[in-house]
Amino acid sequence: MNIAKLNYTDKETAIADLIEKGVYVETEEGLSYGQGVQAVVEIGKVIQTQGTYDDEGNVITEPIYYDGYAYDVMSEQDIVFESEIFTKNSKHGFAGYEPIKDILDEQGAI
């Protein structure tokens, strides 16, 4: 099983690339997984520094987010993604599947 952790500039760019790579297939009902794709997880914006809040839930300091919009893909086939990142402290994992690569890339992966 192949697991890719991906980071795009925004959601629209991500969806377009996932369709182009065959991860998603457009149908009348919407998007479906392509052949051999087991899961696609939309992570979204990843928090770098947690915000702080008072007892009533009011924001004291806003959270700080990493750049980009993240997705995780699990597939049977090896798909080459230009947006693949290698995380040091992953925010998401697939049960029973450990990340193969556990390094921080030069781009400051999330």
Side-chain angles (χ1 to χ4, degrees), residues 34-59:
Q35 182 74 27
V37 175
Q38 302 300 308
V40 178
V41 178
E42 179 181 345
I43 308 296
K45 301 289 290 176
V46 177
I47 294 175
Q48 181 177 15
T49 305
Q50 293 289 336
T52 57
Y53 306 87
D54 65 19
D55 292 339
E56 297 173 4
N58 299 309
V59 176

Side-chain angles (χ1 to χ4, degrees), residues 4 13 26 30 38 60:
T13 302
E26 294 181 280
Q38 302 300 308
I60 297 171

Side-chain angles (χ1 to χ4, degrees), residues 2-58:
N2 296 294
I3 297 180
K5 296 191 163 295
L6 309 170
N7 192 37
Y8 295 92
T9 55
D10 53 47
K11 182 176 181 173
E12 294 74 23
T13 302
I15 297 292
D17 188 53
L18 296 173
I19 290 170
E20 179 183 323
K21 302 259 189 312
V23 172
Y24 278 142
V25 176
E26 294 181 280
T27 68
E28 290 180 10
E29 291 80 33
L31 295 176
S32 296
Y33 293 165
Q35 182 74 27
V37 175
Q38 302 300 308
V40 178
V41 178
E42 179 181 345
I43 308 296
K45 301 289 290 176
V46 177
I47 294 175
Q48 181 177 15
T49 305
Q50 293 289 336
T52 57
Y53 306 87
D54 65 19
D55 292 339
E56 297 173 4
N58 299 309

